[in-house]
Structure formats: C-alpha cells, structure tokens
Amino acid sequence: PLPTKDPVMIKIEKIMEEGLNDSYQRLSPVAKQEFKLKGEQTASQILELLKSSHIKVKKILRLILDWLRTLPGVNHFFLEQEAKIKTDKIIALKK
C-alpha cells in the first residue's frame, strides 16, 4: 500500500501549485517531471520547517524562490511576488 501523505503536506503542495498551471503546461515532459520532483522535495522541507517551534520565514521564502526559478522564462519580479504570497499562505497554515 502507498504511504498516505501528511494532510499539511497536501495543503502546502496545493498552495505551491496555485497559479502556476500555465507555466507548468509549457514545460517539456522531462522538465515537468523535474519541476514536480523539486516541488515535492521543497514541500517536504517546508513541512519540516513548520514542525519546528520557531518558523524560519526567510528559509521558506528562499526554498519557494529556488523552486520557482526552475521555471524557464518567467519574470524575476513575478517569481518574488509569487514566492512571498505562497510563503504568507504557508505561514498561515501554522497558525
């Protein structure tokens, strides 16, 4: 049987994928797989950070930014804005 995902992990992944459908669809199949894997790794790292008693917001923001930068041809300012929005939503999960 497949291990069930942590419900918080599922929420983190949902937040991370919001608004990225168009960019994701433009990727090649190989790039899609790499982006998906990197996203899952990032989500699990964020989950670990959320479990700690002190949330490291900058670390979460940096993880999301690094993940988003794997999307080719996306505006740098858009990436920063998206990362900040996603970080705020993820921090709200903790509360």
Side-chain angles (χ1 to χ4, degrees):
L2 289 171
T4 55
K5 275 191 178 177
D6 186 323
V8 179
M9 176 81 154
I10 293 169
K11 288 178 184 173
I12 292 170
E13 287 177 350
K14 287 277 183 240
I15 290 169
M16 286 173 63
E17 68 189 31
E18 280 175 14
L20 296 178
N21 200 22
D22 291 344
S23 301
Y24 181 75
Q25 294 306 324
R26 282 188 246 127
L27 295 174
S28 69
V30 173
K32 280 183 183 180
Q33 190 63 32
E34 288 174 5
F35 185 71
K36 186 173 183 276
L37 278 172
K38 176 101 168 123
E40 288 171 354
Q41 289 170 349
T42 302
S44 66
Q45 289 174 319
I46 291 170
L47 181 63
E48 290 305 310
L49 288 171
L50 285 179
K51 285 181 179 176
S52 67
S53 58
H54 182 72
I55 301 175
K56 294 176 174 66
V57 179
K58 279 188 174 181
K59 215 169 195 177
I60 293 173
L61 180 67
R62 183 160 294 122
L63 283 170
I64 293 173
L65 252 178
D66 289 346
W67 171 65
L68 287 174
R69 284 189 181 128
T70 60
L71 285 172
V74 180
N75 184 330
H76 175 73
F77 297 108
F78 170 77
L79 291 181
E80 281 193 12
Q81 190 175 13
E82 272 301 302
K84 286 178 185 172
I85 292 167
K86 291 176 188 314
T87 301
D88 289 343
K89 288 181 179 181
I90 288 171
I91 299 303
L93 281 179
K94 176 75 173 181
K95 299 172 184 168

